[in-house]
Amino acid sequence: MWQELAAALNELNKVYRQLAEIGEKKRRALVAVDMKALEELLQQEEPLTRRIGELERRRRQVLTDLAAENRSIHTDTKLQDLLKLAPEGTVRRVLDQLFRELSENTAKVKELGENNAVLVKGAMQAVAWHLNRLGGASVEPAYGKEGEVVSHHRNFEFDA
């Protein structure tokens, strides 16, 4: 079963590396404002995220099977703790290497996702600013009993 766990971790690493490649391409597409490329990348990303879900279920099933053999293993046992329970030798070294790679790959995908989210937010703010400028939107202060109230006049309905 330890080999099954190693196989699941290896597959997870492969998928996360592919997601990282797509994340880097998404960053370039966002910077270039290439919406067609971005749409294609999102379509490529969808099956990979589905695959990660499948592999995570497989990993949890292997942990459940291992837990049946060893009472100190649970489905939510951290991989670092699991390494201590793995058999000495090659299996433990392979699992350790796969765990390190997985940690690096997931951290890279997370960082790329966060950076891309910042780019998307900035692009959306730029679009809103240009639409306001083109549409003649204005902000005029109006004062009431409760203090300052700001009224907004927009010529575009952004929520549409």
Side-chain angles (χ1 to χ4, degrees), residues 128 131-132 135-139 151-160:
L131 285 174
N132 282 334
S138 62
V139 177
S151 62
H152 299 272
H153 169 72
R154 293 194 270 183
N155 290 336
F156 292 109
E157 181 58 46
F158 295 118
D159 294 332

Side-chain angles (χ1 to χ4, degrees), residues 37-48:
L38 186 61
E39 185 177 339
E40 290 172 5
L41 291 168
L42 290 173
Q43 289 174 358
Q44 292 173 17
E45 190 177 53
E46 185 179 338
L48 293 176

Side-chain angles (χ1 to χ4, degrees), residues 1-151:
M1 282 193 234
W2 291 101
Q3 288 82 8
E4 289 179 43
L5 179 61
L9 293 176
N10 189 43
E11 285 298 313
L12 277 167
N13 272 320
K14 288 178 185 177
V15 175
Y16 273 108
R17 279 192 294 271
Q18 291 173 330
L19 275 178
E21 288 175 22
I22 289 175
E24 290 170 356
K25 290 177 183 176
K26 279 171 55 176
R27 181 186 54 77
R28 289 191 293 272
L30 285 166
V31 168
V33 193
D34 185 352
M35 300 313 288
K36 184 176 181 180
L38 186 61
E39 185 177 339
E40 290 172 5
L41 291 168
L42 290 173
Q43 289 174 358
Q44 292 173 17
E45 190 177 53
E46 185 179 338
L48 293 176
T49 55
R50 223 176 308 125
R51 179 74 176 136
I52 286 174
E54 294 167 4
L55 290 168
E56 279 297 319
R57 283 189 290 282
R58 180 173 151 199
R59 182 189 62 81
R60 281 192 299 267
Q61 182 59 50
V62 171
L63 286 178
T64 301
D65 295 343
L66 284 170
E69 294 177 4
N70 186 335
R71 294 268 183 224
S72 57
I73 298 174
H74 306 284
T75 55
D76 60 346
T77 299
K78 294 183 179 188
L79 285 174
Q80 289 175 333
D81 297 331
L82 192 62
L83 286 176
K84 296 173 188 172
L85 302 170
E88 295 283 336
T90 306
V91 173
R92 186 179 288 187
R93 284 192 304 274
V94 167
L95 286 172
D96 184 45
Q97 179 183 353
L98 290 170
F99 169 67
R100 287 183 210 193
E101 287 177 26
L102 186 60
S103 295
E104 291 171 10
N105 290 330
T106 54
K108 184 176 183 178
V109 168
K110 181 181 177 186
E111 181 182 357
L112 285 166
E114 290 169 352
N115 291 343
N116 287 342
V118 169
L119 288 172
V120 167
K121 185 177 178 180
M124 295 302 293
Q125 288 174 339
V127 167
W129 182 82
H130 282 291
L131 285 174
N132 282 334
R133 198 178 103 233
L134 290 171
S138 62
V139 177
E140 300 170 1
Y143 300 93
K145 293 179 184 177
E146 302 291 319
E148 184 175 337
V149 177
V150 178
S151 62

